[in-house]
Amino acid sequence: AAGVIQSPRHLIKEKRETATLKCYPIPRHDTVYWYQQGPGQDPQFLISFYEKMQSDKGSIPDRFSAQQFSDYHSELNMSSLELGDSALYFCASSLTYNEQFFGPGTRLTVL
Amino acid sequence: AQTVTQSQPEMSVQEAETVTLSCTYDTSESDYYLFWYKQPPSRQMILVIRQEAYKQQNATENRFSVNFQKAAKSFSLKISDSQLGDAAMYFCAFMNGETSGSRLTFGEGTQLTVNP
């Protein structure tokens, strides 16, 4: 069965640089979610989109932005990267009101 | 706002034995879902089991079952016949069922070790 695809899987950036993470949801899923998981922590919700409209917003820094495109894929744009942004970033997708299926994550390292 | 609490940072079980992981939550919502996710060393988040709040019957998936006590706001996971592959971090999670695209709120996690 098709799963959530995230790219890249690993990303290394310098402080103050910009990063773009991509997510391709499971086919026919209409909702995409982004989570950030720091070392030894539980995943923290950033933002979600339902039918290409922002549906919920968590503790997402102003330096981050995201959108969902007409083909339902989503991108998380991160600017002015800080050391504290180093984390595992998960994308998840779901069909309305159903369980969320997670991608493998993008490991971002900021040096 | 919802909160999810897992009071057992670490648990261990002997292979083939049964273990129960605890989870409590706090919410004022009446329509919601509860989940258990497993995160092995690969860091992949894997859905283990799901429970709708409106269902009185406890969910079961093979060796995994839950004890859902709505009034007590308790949602424990029982793993029967534990296997080495069950070793992982387990997260309890809450989702509001009234709004599409609602976030998952996770507990702090329980690290499960399975001893051979």
Side-chain angles (χ1 to χ4, degrees):
Chain A
V4 177
I5 297 172
Q6 290 187 247
S7 67
R9 294 292 307 277
H10 302 274
L11 191 58
I12 299 175
K13 291 287 186 178
E14 299 281 343
K15 281 195 308 183
R16 293 180 288 279
E17 285 191 323
T18 297
T20 297
L21 279 53
K22 297 185 178 183
C23 170
Y24 298 86
I26 293 171
R28 292 184 295 281
H29 279 194
D30 53 17
T31 310
V32 169
Y33 311 77
W34 287 97
Y35 293 86
Q36 176 191 59
Q37 187 179 28
Q41 298 181 355
D42 56 282
Q44 295 294 312
F45 173 75
L46 293 177
I47 195 166
S48 63
F49 295 88
Y50 167 65
E51 285 291 347
K52 292 156 282 186
M53 298 289 289
Q54 181 181 307
S55 56
D56 195 3
K57 189 173 182 180
S59 306
I60 183 169
D62 292 340
R63 301 178 288 107
F64 294 7
S65 65
Q67 59 180 323
Q68 186 179 30
F69 294 86
S70 58
D71 64 352
Y72 291 92
H73 95 273
S74 178
E75 295 184 3
L76 177 65
N77 297 292
M78 311 161 69
S79 63
S80 302
L81 287 169
E82 302 173 356
L83 295 179
D85 295 330
S86 295
L88 187 58
Y89 290 84
F90 285 109
C91 173
S93 74
S94 73
L95 196 55
T96 314
Y97 298 116
N98 282 283
E99 54 268 32
Q100 297 179 26
F101 292 92
F102 283 72
T106 294
R107 183 174 299 281
L108 173 66
T109 302
V110 181
L111 301 176
Chain B
Q2 289 73 228
T3 59
V4 179
T5 303
Q6 294 178 246
S7 58
Q8 306 154 314
E10 299 176 347
M11 291 281 286
S12 63
V13 63
Q14 291 295 128
E15 198 175 1
E17 296 295 307
T18 296
V19 65
T20 299
L21 309 183
S22 302
C23 172
T24 58
Y25 61 95
D26 190 22
T27 184
S28 58
E29 306 291 341
S30 58
D31 183 11
Y32 56 89
Y33 300 84
L34 296 164
F35 305 90
W36 280 96
Y37 280 87
K38 166 185 177 181
Q39 188 174 42
S42 66
R43 306 294 299 278
Q44 173 76 50
M45 292 289 286
I46 302 166
L47 176 66
V48 175
I49 201 164
R50 150 197 170 128
Q51 175 78 45
E52 293 89 340
Y54 63 86
K55 289 188 177 179
Q56 292 188 337
Q57 185 172 6
N58 289 323
T60 298
E61 287 288 343
N62 301 313
R63 299 182 294 106
F64 298 88
S65 61
V66 299
N67 183 4
F68 175 45
Q69 300 291 325
K70 191 171 183 178
K73 294 182 180 175
S74 170
F75 182 61
S76 61
L77 174 70
K78 185 172 82 170
I79 306 174
S80 304
D81 185 25
S82 297
Q83 300 177 359
L84 295 177
D86 295 334
M89 179 71 84
Y90 285 81
F91 290 102
C92 177
F94 174 101
M95 185 180 81
N96 184 324
E98 297 177 0
T99 308
S100 59
S102 292
R103 69 187 70 183
L104 285 170
T105 300
F106 290 91
E108 307 91 332
T110 297
Q111 182 68 50
L112 178 66
T113 300
V114 180
N115 300 309

